Amino acid sequence: MATQLPDDFKCPISLEIMSDPVILPSGHTFDRASIQRWLDAGHRTCPITKLPLPEHPCLIPNHALRSLISNYALVAPSKSQPYPQPQTLISALTSPSSPLETKLNSLAQLVRLTKHDSALRRKLTEWGAAPAVLKCVDSDDSNLQEKALSLLLNLSLDDDNKVGLVAEGAINRVVKVLRFGSPDCRAIAATVITSLAVVEVNKATIGAYPDAIQALVWLLISGKGREKKEAATALYAICSFADNRRRAIDCGAVPILIGLLDSGLERPIEVLGLLVKCKEGREEMMKVNGCVKVLVNVLRNGSSRGVQYGLFTLNYLCNCCRRLCFEAMNEGVLEICMGLMEEENEKIRRYTSSLVQTLRDNHTIE
């Protein structure tokens, strides 16, 4: 039915038909489960407008839209299934006699079928799709590998599948792609890591896996724009688990992330905001020449989220080192903070106040 209903009935986050539509203060509507996961992850901006939200945004039920969806589902005409049965498509993947074109076609259709259908994603894993998909991820053919990774990503969107996919050996395959795949495949592989890491137990498993974090750090160095962004996002996802922060630091992530900030890529500031919580992370940041200047530039030019993490990171560093306080003052941080005091974003105001207090406590301002 999801493919028959209007796009306005679909959640902008999950792209699935909404069962419990709610309205954010920004005026946009999302499925309650999807927007709650977004908020629980610490986001305080609207996923569509990127405008800041209150610390505890009110989710208002959209009864009118919910009624429309229910009524439309009752009267919408059914359509004939344009695809073969999913079991047939899976069989085509597992059959030794299936030519490459058949496998490509089967994967393409399964990707389309699973994009919006969470029930089918669960069914596919019950029908044994995971080993077949992972075998295709191992393929030397980049087209087959890319389509298999796209299907793996779709399957991983369902929380019930995440632990099972890791148990089936998904991390081993994905790490190999991070190292040796095409640019597009490496970007999707990093996104798969991010998706799997939504489940807490997977964060520990991924971090403990040989070369997983190292491969992501390597992608920050060798990848192009999209690859770097997805690798940084994956690192942010898995470094919310404390042990993984030290692993990322040991892999040399800190100077690389700071260098990416200096080149204009903002996502790494979120990772630095996690790594600065470790003593080892702070020590590595203090060793990087120009670290404070780069962080102050984030405060000056970054997005709302970037400024939050920039303030948080800089405050941690200045709390630990008086020298860095003087560097921050010389870079004009106090003037920037005075402007940020007027921000609507409550977190920015709070982090700004904390940084100014840190500078006062270190006697760099009167």
Short mmCIF file of all heavy atoms in Angstrom, two decimals, residues 176-227:
data_model
loop_
_atom_site.label_atom_id
_atom_site.label_comp_id
_atom_site.label_asym_id
_atom_site.label_seq_id
_atom_site.Cartn_x
_atom_site.Cartn_y
_atom_site.Cartn_z
N LYS A 176 35.87 -4.22 4.52
CA LYS A 176 36.63 -4.49 3.28
C LYS A 176 36.27 -3.48 2.20
O LYS A 176 37.14 -3.00 1.46
CB LYS A 176 36.33 -5.91 2.78
CG LYS A 176 37.01 -7.01 3.58
CD LYS A 176 36.70 -8.37 2.97
CE LYS A 176 37.33 -9.50 3.78
NZ LYS A 176 36.98 -10.84 3.22
N VAL A 177 34.98 -3.15 2.11
CA VAL A 177 34.55 -2.17 1.11
C VAL A 177 35.12 -0.80 1.43
O VAL A 177 35.54 -0.05 0.52
CB VAL A 177 33.01 -2.10 1.03
CG1 VAL A 177 32.56 -1.01 0.07
CG2 VAL A 177 32.43 -3.45 0.60
N LEU A 178 35.16 -0.43 2.70
CA LEU A 178 35.74 0.86 3.08
C LEU A 178 37.18 0.98 2.59
O LEU A 178 37.64 2.07 2.25
CB LEU A 178 35.71 1.01 4.62
CG LEU A 178 34.35 1.23 5.27
CD1 LEU A 178 34.49 1.20 6.79
CD2 LEU A 178 33.71 2.54 4.82
N ARG A 179 37.87 -0.12 2.57
CA ARG A 179 39.27 -0.13 2.14
C ARG A 179 39.43 -0.20 0.62
O ARG A 179 40.26 0.51 0.04
CB ARG A 179 40.00 -1.31 2.78
CG ARG A 179 40.33 -1.15 4.23
CD ARG A 179 41.40 -0.11 4.44
NE ARG A 179 42.01 -0.19 5.75
CZ ARG A 179 42.95 0.66 6.17
NH1 ARG A 179 43.35 1.63 5.39
NH2 ARG A 179 43.45 0.53 7.38
N PHE A 180 38.66 -1.08 0.00
CA PHE A 180 38.97 -1.44 -1.38
C PHE A 180 37.84 -1.17 -2.38
O PHE A 180 38.01 -1.42 -3.57
CB PHE A 180 39.34 -2.94 -1.46
CG PHE A 180 40.44 -3.33 -0.52
CD1 PHE A 180 40.19 -4.17 0.55
CD2 PHE A 180 41.72 -2.84 -0.69
CE1 PHE A 180 41.20 -4.53 1.44
CE2 PHE A 180 42.75 -3.19 0.18
CZ PHE A 180 42.48 -4.03 1.26
N GLY A 181 36.70 -0.67 -1.92
CA GLY A 181 35.58 -0.45 -2.83
C GLY A 181 35.73 0.80 -3.67
O GLY A 181 36.65 1.61 -3.49
N SER A 182 34.79 0.98 -4.59
CA SER A 182 34.73 2.21 -5.39
C SER A 182 34.30 3.36 -4.48
O SER A 182 33.79 3.14 -3.38
CB SER A 182 33.73 2.05 -6.53
OG SER A 182 32.41 1.96 -6.01
N PRO A 183 34.50 4.62 -4.91
CA PRO A 183 34.07 5.75 -4.06
C PRO A 183 32.61 5.68 -3.64
O PRO A 183 32.29 5.92 -2.47
CB PRO A 183 34.35 6.97 -4.96
CG PRO A 183 35.50 6.53 -5.81
CD PRO A 183 35.25 5.08 -6.09
N ASP A 184 31.72 5.35 -4.56
CA ASP A 184 30.29 5.26 -4.21
C ASP A 184 30.05 4.14 -3.20
O ASP A 184 29.26 4.30 -2.25
CB ASP A 184 29.44 5.03 -5.45
CG ASP A 184 29.31 6.29 -6.30
OD1 ASP A 184 29.53 7.39 -5.77
OD2 ASP A 184 28.99 6.16 -7.50
N CYS A 185 30.70 3.01 -3.41
CA CYS A 185 30.53 1.88 -2.49
C CYS A 185 31.06 2.21 -1.11
O CYS A 185 30.46 1.85 -0.08
CB CYS A 185 31.23 0.64 -3.04
SG CYS A 185 30.39 -0.14 -4.45
N ARG A 186 32.19 2.91 -1.05
CA ARG A 186 32.76 3.27 0.25
C ARG A 186 31.84 4.21 1.01
O ARG A 186 31.69 4.11 2.23
CB ARG A 186 34.15 3.89 0.07
CG ARG A 186 35.18 2.90 -0.41
CD ARG A 186 36.59 3.42 -0.37
NE ARG A 186 36.79 4.64 -1.13
CZ ARG A 186 37.92 4.94 -1.76
NH1 ARG A 186 38.94 4.09 -1.74
NH2 ARG A 186 38.05 6.07 -2.41
N ALA A 187 31.22 5.15 0.29
CA ALA A 187 30.29 6.08 0.95
C ALA A 187 29.09 5.33 1.53
O ALA A 187 28.67 5.58 2.66
CB ALA A 187 29.84 7.16 -0.03
N ILE A 188 28.53 4.39 0.74
CA ILE A 188 27.38 3.62 1.23
C ILE A 188 27.80 2.74 2.40
O ILE A 188 27.06 2.60 3.38
CB ILE A 188 26.77 2.77 0.10
CG1 ILE A 188 26.30 3.65 -1.05
CG2 ILE A 188 25.59 1.94 0.64
CD1 ILE A 188 25.87 2.88 -2.29
N ALA A 189 29.00 2.16 2.32
CA ALA A 189 29.48 1.29 3.39
C ALA A 189 29.59 2.07 4.71
O ALA A 189 29.22 1.55 5.78
CB ALA A 189 30.83 0.69 3.02
N ALA A 190 30.08 3.30 4.65
CA ALA A 190 30.16 4.12 5.86
C ALA A 190 28.77 4.42 6.40
O ALA A 190 28.55 4.44 7.62
CB ALA A 190 30.91 5.41 5.56
N THR A 191 27.81 4.63 5.50
CA THR A 191 26.43 4.88 5.92
C THR A 191 25.83 3.65 6.59
O THR A 191 25.05 3.76 7.55
CB THR A 191 25.56 5.30 4.73
OG1 THR A 191 26.20 6.37 4.02
CG2 THR A 191 24.19 5.78 5.17
N VAL A 192 26.19 2.47 6.11
CA VAL A 192 25.73 1.23 6.74
C VAL A 192 26.25 1.15 8.18
O VAL A 192 25.51 0.77 9.10
CB VAL A 192 26.19 0.00 5.93
CG1 VAL A 192 25.90 -1.29 6.70
CG2 VAL A 192 25.48 -0.04 4.57
N ILE A 193 27.52 1.52 8.37
CA ILE A 193 28.08 1.53 9.73
C ILE A 193 27.25 2.44 10.64
O ILE A 193 26.90 2.09 11.77
CB ILE A 193 29.54 2.01 9.70
CG1 ILE A 193 30.43 1.01 8.97
CG2 ILE A 193 30.05 2.27 11.12
CD1 ILE A 193 30.76 -0.23 9.75
N THR A 194 26.92 3.63 10.12
CA THR A 194 26.11 4.58 10.90
C THR A 194 24.77 3.97 11.28
O THR A 194 24.31 4.09 12.42
CB THR A 194 25.89 5.88 10.11
OG1 THR A 194 27.16 6.46 9.78
CG2 THR A 194 25.07 6.88 10.91
N SER A 195 24.13 3.32 10.32
CA SER A 195 22.82 2.73 10.57
C SER A 195 22.90 1.60 11.59
O SER A 195 22.08 1.52 12.52
CB SER A 195 22.22 2.21 9.26
OG SER A 195 20.98 1.60 9.47
N LEU A 196 23.88 0.73 11.46
CA LEU A 196 24.01 -0.39 12.39
C LEU A 196 24.34 0.09 13.81
O LEU A 196 23.95 -0.53 14.79
CB LEU A 196 25.10 -1.35 11.90
CG LEU A 196 24.80 -2.11 10.61
CD1 LEU A 196 26.04 -2.90 10.17
CD2 LEU A 196 23.61 -3.04 10.77
N ALA A 197 25.04 1.22 13.89
CA ALA A 197 25.48 1.73 15.20
C ALA A 197 24.36 2.39 15.99
O ALA A 197 24.58 2.83 17.12
CB ALA A 197 26.64 2.70 15.02
N VAL A 198 23.17 2.48 15.42
CA VAL A 198 22.04 3.02 16.17
C VAL A 198 21.77 2.16 17.41
O VAL A 198 21.40 2.67 18.47
CB VAL A 198 20.79 3.12 15.28
CG1 VAL A 198 19.55 3.40 16.10
CG2 VAL A 198 20.99 4.20 14.23
N VAL A 199 21.97 0.86 17.29
CA VAL A 199 21.79 -0.06 18.41
C VAL A 199 23.05 -0.06 19.27
O VAL A 199 24.16 -0.24 18.76
CB VAL A 199 21.49 -1.49 17.91
CG1 VAL A 199 21.40 -2.46 19.07
CG2 VAL A 199 20.20 -1.50 17.10
N GLU A 200 22.88 0.17 20.57
CA GLU A 200 24.02 0.38 21.46
C GLU A 200 25.01 -0.77 21.44
O GLU A 200 26.22 -0.56 21.39
CB GLU A 200 23.51 0.62 22.89
CG GLU A 200 24.49 1.32 23.79
CD GLU A 200 24.77 2.76 23.38
OE1 GLU A 200 23.90 3.37 22.75
OE2 GLU A 200 25.87 3.25 23.70
N VAL A 201 24.52 -2.01 21.47
CA VAL A 201 25.43 -3.15 21.53
C VAL A 201 26.29 -3.23 20.27
O VAL A 201 27.44 -3.69 20.32
CB VAL A 201 24.64 -4.47 21.74
CG1 VAL A 201 23.78 -4.80 20.53
CG2 VAL A 201 25.58 -5.62 22.04
N ASN A 202 25.77 -2.77 19.14
CA ASN A 202 26.55 -2.81 17.90
C ASN A 202 27.72 -1.84 17.93
O ASN A 202 28.74 -2.06 17.25
CB ASN A 202 25.65 -2.49 16.70
CG ASN A 202 24.83 -3.69 16.26
OD1 ASN A 202 25.01 -4.80 16.77
ND2 ASN A 202 23.91 -3.47 15.34
N LYS A 203 27.59 -0.74 18.67
CA LYS A 203 28.69 0.23 18.75
C LYS A 203 29.94 -0.43 19.31
O LYS A 203 31.05 -0.23 18.79
CB LYS A 203 28.29 1.43 19.61
CG LYS A 203 27.17 2.25 19.01
CD LYS A 203 26.72 3.35 19.96
CE LYS A 203 25.51 4.09 19.37
NZ LYS A 203 24.98 5.14 20.26
N ALA A 204 29.77 -1.22 20.37
CA ALA A 204 30.90 -1.93 20.96
C ALA A 204 31.46 -2.97 20.00
O ALA A 204 32.68 -3.10 19.84
CB ALA A 204 30.48 -2.59 22.27
N THR A 205 30.56 -3.69 19.33
CA THR A 205 31.00 -4.73 18.40
C THR A 205 31.77 -4.14 17.23
O THR A 205 32.83 -4.65 16.83
CB THR A 205 29.78 -5.52 17.88
OG1 THR A 205 29.03 -6.04 18.98
CG2 THR A 205 30.22 -6.66 16.97
N ILE A 206 31.26 -3.07 16.66
CA ILE A 206 31.92 -2.42 15.53
C ILE A 206 33.28 -1.89 15.94
O ILE A 206 34.29 -2.09 15.26
CB ILE A 206 31.05 -1.29 14.96
CG1 ILE A 206 29.76 -1.85 14.35
CG2 ILE A 206 31.82 -0.47 13.91
CD1 ILE A 206 28.72 -0.79 14.05
N GLY A 207 33.33 -1.20 17.10
CA GLY A 207 34.60 -0.62 17.55
C GLY A 207 35.65 -1.68 17.83
O GLY A 207 36.85 -1.45 17.57
N ALA A 208 35.23 -2.83 18.35
CA ALA A 208 36.18 -3.89 18.68
C ALA A 208 36.64 -4.66 17.44
O ALA A 208 37.63 -5.41 17.51
CB ALA A 208 35.56 -4.86 19.69
N TYR A 209 35.92 -4.49 16.34
CA TYR A 209 36.27 -5.25 15.14
C TYR A 209 37.59 -4.73 14.57
O TYR A 209 37.78 -3.52 14.41
CB TYR A 209 35.18 -5.14 14.08
CG TYR A 209 35.38 -6.13 12.97
CD1 TYR A 209 34.85 -7.41 13.05
CD2 TYR A 209 36.13 -5.80 11.85
CE1 TYR A 209 35.06 -8.34 12.05
CE2 TYR A 209 36.36 -6.72 10.84
CZ TYR A 209 35.82 -8.00 10.94
OH TYR A 209 36.04 -8.91 9.96
N PRO A 210 38.53 -5.62 14.26
CA PRO A 210 39.83 -5.18 13.73
C PRO A 210 39.68 -4.29 12.50
O PRO A 210 38.98 -4.63 11.54
CB PRO A 210 40.53 -6.51 13.37
CG PRO A 210 39.86 -7.54 14.23
CD PRO A 210 38.44 -7.09 14.38
N ASP A 211 40.30 -3.15 12.53
CA ASP A 211 40.40 -2.22 11.40
C ASP A 211 39.14 -1.42 11.10
O ASP A 211 39.16 -0.61 10.17
CB ASP A 211 40.82 -2.95 10.11
CG ASP A 211 42.19 -3.57 10.22
OD1 ASP A 211 43.01 -3.05 11.00
OD2 ASP A 211 42.45 -4.59 9.54
N ALA A 212 38.05 -1.60 11.84
CA ALA A 212 36.82 -0.88 11.50
C ALA A 212 37.01 0.63 11.66
O ALA A 212 36.76 1.41 10.73
CB ALA A 212 35.66 -1.37 12.36
N ILE A 213 37.45 1.06 12.84
CA ILE A 213 37.66 2.49 13.07
C ILE A 213 38.82 3.00 12.23
O ILE A 213 38.76 4.10 11.67
CB ILE A 213 37.88 2.76 14.57
CG1 ILE A 213 36.57 2.53 15.34
CG2 ILE A 213 38.39 4.18 14.81
CD1 ILE A 213 36.67 2.70 16.83
N GLN A 214 39.86 2.19 12.12
CA GLN A 214 41.00 2.60 11.30
C GLN A 214 40.60 2.82 9.85
O GLN A 214 41.07 3.76 9.20
CB GLN A 214 42.10 1.54 11.39
CG GLN A 214 43.42 1.96 10.74
CD GLN A 214 44.51 0.94 10.97
OE1 GLN A 214 44.25 -0.25 11.08
NE2 GLN A 214 45.75 1.40 11.06
N ALA A 215 39.70 1.98 9.34
CA ALA A 215 39.24 2.13 7.96
C ALA A 215 38.46 3.43 7.78
O ALA A 215 38.58 4.11 6.75
CB ALA A 215 38.38 0.94 7.55
N LEU A 216 37.65 3.80 8.77
CA LEU A 216 36.90 5.05 8.69
C LEU A 216 37.85 6.25 8.74
O LEU A 216 37.66 7.23 8.01
CB LEU A 216 35.89 5.13 9.83
CG LEU A 216 34.69 4.18 9.74
CD1 LEU A 216 33.91 4.17 11.04
CD2 LEU A 216 33.78 4.56 8.56
N VAL A 217 38.86 6.18 9.60
CA VAL A 217 39.84 7.27 9.68
C VAL A 217 40.61 7.37 8.37
O VAL A 217 40.87 8.47 7.87
CB VAL A 217 40.80 7.04 10.87
CG1 VAL A 217 41.93 8.07 10.86
CG2 VAL A 217 40.03 7.11 12.19
N TRP A 218 40.95 6.23 7.80
CA TRP A 218 41.65 6.22 6.52
C TRP A 218 40.79 6.88 5.43
O TRP A 218 41.30 7.60 4.57
CB TRP A 218 41.99 4.78 6.13
CG TRP A 218 42.64 4.65 4.78
CD1 TRP A 218 43.95 4.84 4.48
CD2 TRP A 218 41.98 4.31 3.56
NE1 TRP A 218 44.16 4.65 3.13
CE2 TRP A 218 42.97 4.32 2.54
CE3 TRP A 218 40.67 4.00 3.21
CZ2 TRP A 218 42.67 4.02 1.21
CZ3 TRP A 218 40.38 3.70 1.89
CH2 TRP A 218 41.36 3.71 0.91
N LEU A 219 39.48 6.63 5.50
CA LEU A 219 38.58 7.23 4.51
C LEU A 219 38.51 8.75 4.67
O LEU A 219 38.32 9.47 3.68
CB LEU A 219 37.18 6.62 4.66
CG LEU A 219 36.22 6.78 3.48
CD1 LEU A 219 36.82 6.23 2.20
CD2 LEU A 219 34.89 6.09 3.77
N LEU A 220 38.68 9.23 5.89
CA LEU A 220 38.74 10.68 6.10
C LEU A 220 39.93 11.30 5.37
O LEU A 220 39.88 12.45 4.93
CB LEU A 220 38.87 11.01 7.59
CG LEU A 220 37.66 10.72 8.49
CD1 LEU A 220 38.02 11.04 9.93
CD2 LEU A 220 36.44 11.53 8.05
N ILE A 221 41.00 10.52 5.22
CA ILE A 221 42.20 11.01 4.55
C ILE A 221 42.09 10.86 3.04
O ILE A 221 42.36 11.80 2.27
CB ILE A 221 43.45 10.24 5.04
CG1 ILE A 221 43.59 10.35 6.55
CG2 ILE A 221 44.71 10.74 4.33
CD1 ILE A 221 44.66 9.44 7.12
N SER A 222 41.66 9.69 2.60
CA SER A 222 41.77 9.35 1.17
C SER A 222 40.49 9.60 0.39
O SER A 222 40.52 9.64 -0.85
CB SER A 222 42.16 7.88 1.03
OG SER A 222 41.16 7.05 1.58
N GLY A 223 39.36 9.75 1.06
CA GLY A 223 38.09 9.85 0.36
C GLY A 223 37.82 11.22 -0.22
O GLY A 223 38.52 12.20 0.06
N LYS A 224 36.79 11.28 -1.04
CA LYS A 224 36.31 12.54 -1.59
C LYS A 224 35.25 13.12 -0.65
O LYS A 224 35.03 12.61 0.44
CB LYS A 224 35.73 12.33 -2.99
CG LYS A 224 36.70 11.69 -3.97
CD LYS A 224 37.94 12.55 -4.20
CE LYS A 224 38.87 11.89 -5.23
NZ LYS A 224 40.12 12.67 -5.40
N GLY A 225 34.57 14.17 -1.09
CA GLY A 225 33.63 14.89 -0.22
C GLY A 225 32.60 14.02 0.45
O GLY A 225 32.46 14.01 1.68
N ARG A 226 31.84 13.24 -0.35
CA ARG A 226 30.78 12.43 0.24
C ARG A 226 31.34 11.34 1.14
O ARG A 226 30.79 11.05 2.21
CB ARG A 226 29.93 11.80 -0.88
CG ARG A 226 28.75 10.97 -0.36
CD ARG A 226 28.04 10.24 -1.49
NE ARG A 226 27.06 9.29 -0.98
CZ ARG A 226 26.67 8.21 -1.64
NH1 ARG A 226 27.17 7.96 -2.84
NH2 ARG A 226 25.79 7.37 -1.12
N GLU A 227 32.46 10.73 0.72
CA GLU A 227 33.07 9.68 1.53
C GLU A 227 33.54 10.22 2.87
O GLU A 227 33.32 9.60 3.92
CB GLU A 227 34.25 9.07 0.78
CG GLU A 227 33.88 8.37 -0.52
CD GLU A 227 35.09 8.16 -1.39
OE1 GLU A 227 35.82 7.18 -1.12
OE2 GLU A 227 35.34 8.98 -2.30
#
